[in-house]
């Protein structure tokens, strides 16, 4: 596909690829980091009032900063790839609006539930759950739309909606894995149960995306199934299946260990789920490159002028280390078991 590119030794050739990598990694960081706290928000619906406080405390120091990665990714799309930005967000106007409503509802509910009177607190808990569910489902719907090339047929809409549910399940799997690391006692055991319930739908979602992606475009089909590409790509589904098996096996063993006060392997479901996300991202990136809109707009066609990208690159070199540094610092300071969240 590099035959579609200009001279890669020139700024107009290599700079769009640099920004595509940064944007992709920013969106991957968002999906993983904000994914687990969206999952915790969805799982709150099934928790007791006491457990809800602990669950909120487990994400309290992190959830707001996690969304910074979304701002960075969308900012790069807007400033560096304005043509694709117009097409993508124009096609996804409704799910983007729903996602923003969900994220706003989460932010309001998170702060208000702490200071709310006892009678009002359950309402804010439900609002936090609803915002988490709406944001997660909207993101999954957008992912499905990206894979189907923003088609508006009845089947594509159904597919997008199913992928939305699958992404919510994947977020719940991440969230349950996070609670296994951060929580203690009965809540950990509930997290094992929640993870089991989310695992099957997550597996189905990954399978659906894997089947649909090569079918939407002949060029993607050829990238997957031509020789030797098919041999080189085979380790991805194999490794994904192994990670799912590791998660399943770990969830079978953890209840006995946790009941004995042994937390050995409590991090395995979360770590293996992150591995699944990484492999899925790699497969999707390989399939779509160099298209930002499948078979319509390449990364080079969508890019702004090299002079503008040079200015943006300077800003990115300043901002990106700050975001990474703050994220690492926050997780280092607040690592360990959750304590009561008060302010």
């Amino acid at each position: 596909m590099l035959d579609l590119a200009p001279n890669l030794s020139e700024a107009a050739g290599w700079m769009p690829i640099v920004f595509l990598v940064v944007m992709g990694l920013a969106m991957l960081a968002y999906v993983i980091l904000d994914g687990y706290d969206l999952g915790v928000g969805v799982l709150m619906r099934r928790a007791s009032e006491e457990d809800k406080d602990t669950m909120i405390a487990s994400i309290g120091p992190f959830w707001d900063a996690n969304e910074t990665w979304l701002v960075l990714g969308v900012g790069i799309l807007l400033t560096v790839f304005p043509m694709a930005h117009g097409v993508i967000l124009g096609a996804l106007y409704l799910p983007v609006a729903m996602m923003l409503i969900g994220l706003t509802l989460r932010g309001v509910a998170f702060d208000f539930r702490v200071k709310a009177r006892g009678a009002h607190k359950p309402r804010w808990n439900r609002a936090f759950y609803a915002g988490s569910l709406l944001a997660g489902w909207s993101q999954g719907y957008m992912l499905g739309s990206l894979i189907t090339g923003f088609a508006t047929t009845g089947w594509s809409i159904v597919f997008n909606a199913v992928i939305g549910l699958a992404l919510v399940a994947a977020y719940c799997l991440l969230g349950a894995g996070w609670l296994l690391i951060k929580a203690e006692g009965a809540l950990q055991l509930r997290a094992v149960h929640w993870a089991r319930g989310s695992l099957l739908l997550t597996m189905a979602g990954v399978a659906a995306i894997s089947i649909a992606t090569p079918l939407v475009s002949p060029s993607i089909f050829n990238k997957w199934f031509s020789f030797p590409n098919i041999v080189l790509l085979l380790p991805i589904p194999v490794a994904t299946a192994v990670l799912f098996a590791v998660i399943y096996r770990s969830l079978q063993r953890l209840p006995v260990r946790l009941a004995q006060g042994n937390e050995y392997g409590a991090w395995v479901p979360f770590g293996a789920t992150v591995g699944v996300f990484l492999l899925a991202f790699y497969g999707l990136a390989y399939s779509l490159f160099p298209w930002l809109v499948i078979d319509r707009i390449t990364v080079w066609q969508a890019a702004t002028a090299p002079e503008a990208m040079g200015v943006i690159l300077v800003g990115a070199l300043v901002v990106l280390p700050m975001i990474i540094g703050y994220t690492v610092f926050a997780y280092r300071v607040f690592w360990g078991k959750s304590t009561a969240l008060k302010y």
Side-chain angles (χ1 to χ4, degrees):
M1 302 300 286
L2 290 178
D3 56 341
L4 299 174
N7 188 344
L8 294 181
S9 64
E10 298 178 355
W14 63 265
M15 289 185 71
I17 297 179
V18 170
F19 279 109
L20 181 67
V21 171
V22 174
M23 182 178 70
L25 293 178
M27 299 308 293
L28 175 63
Y30 170 77
V31 166
I32 293 175
L33 296 179
D34 205 42
Y36 76 73
D37 67 61
L38 284 169
V40 170
V42 175
L43 292 173
M44 280 181 61
R45 182 70 173 175
R46 310 176 189 179
S48 65
E49 291 301 318
E50 182 179 354
D51 284 344
K52 288 175 182 176
D53 290 337
T54 303
M55 294 166 73
I56 287 291
S58 74
I59 63 174
F62 314 109
W63 75 276
D64 207 10
N66 291 341
E67 295 176 0
T68 306
W69 294 101
L70 177 63
V71 176
L72 176 63
V74 175
I76 291 176
L77 179 64
L78 171 63
T79 57
V80 180
F81 307 109
M83 180 188 297
H85 177 272
V87 173
I88 293 172
L89 293 192
L92 299 178
Y93 185 86
L94 184 58
V96 168
M98 294 173 65
M99 180 187 72
L100 294 177
I101 291 172
L103 294 177
T104 302
L105 187 59
R106 270 169 50 90
V108 173
F110 185 92
D111 288 326
F112 274 66
R113 71 176 298 281
V114 177
K115 297 297 183 181
R117 297 177 181 177
H120 296 161
K121 190 173 180 179
R123 298 177 184 175
W124 291 114
N125 286 335
R126 288 193 293 271
F128 191 80
Y129 159 78
S132 301
L133 179 62
L134 183 60
W137 181 84
S138 300
Q139 291 169 15
Y141 188 96
M142 288 187 279
L143 174 62
S145 296
L146 178 65
I147 293 169
T148 57
F150 307 109
T152 56
T153 64
W155 284 111
S156 65
I157 292 174
V158 171
F159 174 80
N160 300 344
V162 171
I163 295 303
L165 294 176
L167 187 61
V168 170
Y171 283 167
C172 288
L173 184 59
L174 268 178
W178 179 255
L179 291 174
L180 283 169
I181 298 172
K182 299 291 286 184
E184 296 177 293
L187 181 55
Q188 276 186 312
L189 294 175
R190 292 191 186 96
V192 173
H193 175 72
W194 295 335
R196 287 176 179 172
S198 304
L199 182 58
L200 183 60
L201 186 53
T202 302
M203 295 171 63
V206 171
I209 292 173
S210 300
I211 294 172
T213 301
L215 297 180
V216 299
S217 168
S219 61
I220 295 177
F221 185 91
N222 291 333
K223 286 177 71 174
W224 276 42
F225 296 108
S226 62
F227 188 84
N229 294 7
I230 189 172
V231 177
L232 298 176
L233 288 174
L234 187 60
I236 296 179
V238 172
T240 302
V242 170
L243 287 175
F244 277 129
V246 169
I247 296 171
Y248 176 82
R249 184 60 174 168
S250 177
L251 294 176
Q252 294 295 110
R253 294 179 174 181
L254 276 174
V256 175
R257 291 177 179 169
L258 294 177
Q260 298 171 347
N262 179 9
E263 294 203 7
Y264 177 78
W267 60 271
V268 170
F270 183 83
T273 305
V274 170
V276 170
F277 272 86
L278 291 174
L279 290 171
F281 172 81
Y282 175 78
L284 187 62
Y286 171 83
S287 301
L288 297 182
F289 182 81
W291 304 103
L292 284 177
V293 180
I294 295 177
D295 294 335
R296 291 167 58 188
I297 303 175
T298 69
V299 60
W300 298 284
Q301 292 171 337
T304 189
E307 295 79 7
M309 285 190 287
V311 175
I312 299 168
L313 183 60
V314 173
L317 292 175
V318 174
V319 172
L320 191 58
M322 296 176 63
I323 297 176
I324 295 174
Y326 172 77
T327 301
V328 172
F329 177 77
Y331 278 86
R332 180 177 179 182
V333 169
F334 294 103
W335 194 249
K337 296 297 181 179
S338 299
T339 57
L341 180 65
K342 297 180 181 180
Y343 57 91

